[in-house]
Amino acid sequence: MILGIPDLQIVIGYGLAIGLAIACIVYGLLNWNREGDEDGS
Amino acid sequence: MAVDTLTLTVLALIYIAVTFYLGYLGYKKTKSTEDYLVAGRSSHPVIIALSYGATFISTSAIVGFGGAAANLGMGLIWLTVLNIGIGILLAFVVFGKKTREIGQRLSAITFPDLMGKIYQSPPLQYISGIIIIIGMPLYTAAILIGGARFIEPTFNMEYTTALFLFAAIVAIYVFFGGLIAVMYTDALQGAIMLIGMSFLLVLTYVYLGGITAANTALTTMADMVPQALSDQGMTGWTTMPELGSPIWFTLITTLVLGVGIGVLAQPQLIVRFMTAKDGKSLNRAVLVGGPFILMMTGVAFTVGALSNVWFFQQDGTIAITAAGGNVDAIIPLFITQAMPDIFVVIFLLTLLSAAMSTLSGLFHAMGTALICDIWGRGRECALSLRANQCGLVVMILVSLVIAFVLPGSIIARATAMFMGLCAAAFLPAFAVGIYAKTPCTRAALWSIVSGTVIWFFWTAFVHVAEAKPLGICQMLTGQVTLLGAPWTVIDPLIIALPVSAIVMAVMQIQYNRMRSKPAVSAS
């Protein structure tokens, strides 16, 4: 039981949702000044 | 209701006045048709992110799907995973940048225009436009109904008046200010939604004694799951339904996959990418978009499920029983009964904002599809502001008529249907179109047609949630559905999208092979 939730599938769901939101922040910061894809298209 | 109507009316009037002011700014900044259609391709990243998010999240996501979480439990959090992973990261990084770049290079002004120009095919533009003006009014009508149903009791207004007033307020600023006004107002509405949902999450956990205490209380209520739901596979509000049960299929295929994937191919969202000045703007928008969506659907699904604990602590019942069996009534009931008066006002403005931001995007997308992509395709007049404003008015009137004839409890269903149709019809052709070096027009046409036809067939003849109320299958065959379980609970998208993707892939591969062969034999 993690934070009162017994099902690991639900816990993983919450973990992924929060993790992806953090990933969005990190992506935005790391690519703040990057113009676009590097393929030049 | 706890809050007096006068206070609420004054605050609502201030909100509408600020909205109109932003609409006026949009009007002043609209100097050309490109401004009206794609916001001059120079939108600020925060405005892009909030506009995309606020358009994406309607009242349906908060009230409809929040209510669904109160009924089916926290498993809906997987929809939030897809909303952020697919709806933001994949959409902006993989699709958004290419869409912006190609849209700018080809001077595309609408989604069907983009498809037509990528594939150099007028029929593709027509077909995409037709799917939009047929499918989108249903979704628009559902949003209108949701808004009017909420305005009606809140402001003691007659339903018909509420419906017209709601449509008119949004129509005015979209009509005059085009996409710039839409995006400015979306940003305001997105900010209000963010404040409202943050308060909702914090106060809910505070009232229920903290995160672990609240979740544990919900876990111990598993034996209170209604018999009808436990017979269909529901095991509790903090556990997933039984694998392969009818509720598992509904949760995963319709709610999580249907809506989660469907967002990728929605014309009114894709056009947001074309408003960005450069790739940097989209990178920066991701930073805002991910947390925004987490705070919208993540909070709605969590609070929805936890409302069961609050209702149980108050009168020993669960949320759906307290709401008289109406899923759409759970979240508003929880807010008005559990939250302090000032929050009720904030939340009412949050709901109004969620509905208006989605509605404005849909009005704009439908109006421009009718004028630029169908009526006036290839004509100079299609690019006039006046023509697009006329198209807008026509499509708003069509949506209003549909809103009067649609049945009740349609909001969440219509949302899932529209997103499913868009994904089945457009996603494979759109993905190949922006990434293939030489996309095949015939493949795109067949993919769109097959995806659309299979989606309609499955909706009318197999998926019981739609086939039963539609009655087409019953009328033609004497049976409610053509197939039995578990097919009747598998969402049309799960069948139609793979078909349209396979058609697209097979024909594109064949086309690539044929292109390489003549080059050899001709020499």
Side-chain angles (χ1 to χ4, degrees):
Chain A
M1 185 111 86
I2 299 171
L3 292 173
I5 300 174
D7 189 341
L8 202 59
Q9 290 181 69
I10 306 273
V11 175
I12 293 171
Y14 272 99
L16 273 176
I18 294 166
L20 282 168
I22 294 169
C24 286
I25 296 173
V26 172
Y27 178 87
L29 290 174
L30 290 179
N31 294 284
W32 190 261
N33 280 319
R34 188 176 286 182
E35 178 50 41
D37 293 337
E38 302 304 328
D39 61 7
S41 55
Chain B
M1 202 183 82
V3 182
D4 71 282
T5 311
L6 182 67
T7 312
L8 189 58
T9 307
V10 169
L11 284 167
L13 286 175
I14 293 171
Y15 163 74
I16 289 168
V18 176
T19 302
F20 277 142
Y21 175 69
L22 291 172
Y24 173 74
L25 286 184
Y27 168 72
K28 291 294 282 181
K29 281 203 165 193
T30 300
K31 308 281 185 210
S32 66
T33 313
E34 197 170 58
D35 290 336
Y36 194 83
L37 297 171
V38 283
R41 298 187 204 277
S42 59
S43 297
H44 190 278
V46 174
I47 290 181
I48 294 172
L50 287 177
S51 173
Y52 182 94
T55 306
F56 179 0
I57 305 298
S58 62
T59 26
S60 170
I62 298 172
V63 173
F65 285 74
N71 205 25
L72 303 178
M74 287 180 168
L76 263 171
I77 194 64
W78 281 95
L79 175 54
T80 304
V81 174
L82 266 68
N83 285 157
I84 304 172
I86 293 178
I88 297 290
L89 269 176
L90 192 69
F92 273 74
V93 178
V94 177
F95 288 86
K97 287 190 199 172
K98 276 281 180 192
T99 305
R100 187 207 67 80
E101 185 189 301
I102 295 170
Q104 193 166 44
R105 178 158 43 86
L106 300 177
S107 298
I109 46 173
T110 63
F111 172 70
D113 185 35
L114 177 74
M115 295 289 277
K117 282 176 174 163
I118 287 174
Y119 286 99
Q120 297 173 329
S121 163
L124 206 65
Q125 186 177 357
Y126 278 122
I127 290 173
S128 304
I130 287 168
I131 293 172
I132 289 173
I133 65 159
I134 290 175
M136 209 177 264
L138 284 171
Y139 180 38
T140 310
I143 304 290
L144 274 171
I145 292 170
R149 287 276 176 230
F150 148 71
I151 293 170
E152 180 189 13
T154 310
F155 296 95
N156 294 323
M157 200 178 278
E158 206 182 307
Y159 173 71
T160 312
T161 314
L163 197 65
F164 276 113
L165 188 71
F166 184 46
I169 289 171
V170 180
I172 287 169
Y173 68 77
V174 182
F175 182 88
F176 288 106
L179 198 58
I180 298 179
V182 169
M183 292 182 75
Y184 280 5
T185 52
D186 282 354
L188 167 76
Q189 288 150 356
I192 293 172
M193 289 160 71
L194 201 53
I195 294 168
M197 297 308 279
S198 303
F199 270 113
L200 184 60
L201 180 70
V202 172
L203 288 177
T204 301
Y205 271 122
V206 167
Y207 288 160
L208 299 179
I211 295 175
T212 306
N215 294 344
T216 306
L218 188 60
T219 301
T220 57
M221 289 175 65
D223 58 345
M224 293 184 72
V225 169
Q227 190 66 40
L229 291 176
S230 63
D231 286 348
Q232 292 187 67
M234 185 162 162
T235 57
W237 285 279
T238 54
T239 50
M240 289 294 282
E242 260 172 56
L243 186 70
S245 64
I247 290 207
W248 185 89
F249 272 114
T250 302
L251 182 75
I252 298 300
T253 69
T254 298
L255 300 178
V256 174
L257 292 177
V259 178
I261 297 173
V263 71
L264 273 181
Q266 286 192 62
Q268 79 278 16
L269 294 181
I270 290 170
V271 82
R272 297 291 184 281
F273 300 135
M274 296 197 276
T275 69
K277 186 180 166 191
D278 47 30
K280 273 188 285 191
S281 301
L282 292 177
N283 289 337
R284 294 172 185 184
V286 170
L287 187 149
V288 181
F292 180 83
I293 297 297
L294 178 69
M295 289 308 295
M296 295 298 120
T297 62
V299 170
F301 303 156
T302 305
V303 170
L306 287 170
S307 67
N308 286 290
V309 179
W310 191 86
F311 285 113
F312 179 70
Q313 287 175 354
Q314 298 305 305
D315 51 16
T317 186
I318 60 170
I320 188 71
T321 311
N326 183 358
V327 172
D328 290 343
I330 295 174
I331 295 289
L333 188 71
F334 173 67
I335 301 291
T336 48
Q337 291 196 359
M339 296 291 146
D341 288 359
I342 183 64
F343 180 77
V344 175
V345 176
I346 294 172
F347 191 75
L348 290 173
L349 292 182
T350 300
L351 283 189
L352 207 56
S353 296
M356 285 171 74
S357 53
T358 305
L359 201 56
S360 61
L362 294 173
F363 279 174
H364 187 268
M366 289 189 303
T368 55
L370 178 66
I371 297 303
C372 295
D373 304 312
I374 299 173
W375 172 78
R377 205 212 72 79
R379 299 193 217 170
E380 274 298 309
C381 55
L383 291 177
S384 80
L385 277 185
R386 188 64 61 215
N388 279 287
Q389 287 170 328
C390 290
L392 193 80
V393 172
V394 170
M395 293 312 296
I396 290 171
L397 291 176
V398 170
S399 304
L400 268 172
V401 171
I402 294 173
F404 276 110
V405 296
L406 275 185
S409 304
I410 194 74
I411 306 172
R413 177 67 51 195
T415 304
M417 283 173 74
F418 175 70
M419 293 198 180
L421 171 63
C422 283
F426 298 133
L427 189 53
F430 173 54
V432 171
I434 59 171
Y435 271 99
K437 280 186 181 163
T438 48
C440 171
T441 307
R442 250 164 48 91
L445 278 169
W446 279 106
S447 170
I448 290 175
V449 170
S450 63
T452 308
V453 169
I454 301 277
W455 185 89
F456 272 111
F457 172 78
W458 201 266
T459 299
F461 290 91
V462 182
H463 197 230
V464 69
E466 286 96 24
K468 197 174 174 184
L470 282 173
I472 298 171
C473 186
Q474 179 79 48
M475 191 176 69
L476 295 178
T477 67
Q479 296 170 266
V480 176
T481 57
L482 286 183
L483 300 176
W487 302 107
T488 48
V489 288
I490 294 177
D491 195 80
L493 170 81
I494 305 301
I495 306 298
L497 178 59
V499 170
S500 70
I502 290 167
V503 168
M504 185 76 221
V506 169
M507 292 183 74
Q508 181 69 42
I509 291 167
Q510 273 183 341
Y511 177 73
N512 288 346
R513 282 186 187 153
M514 278 172 61
R515 273 180 60 86
S516 55
K517 274 182 191 168
V520 176
S521 58
S523 60

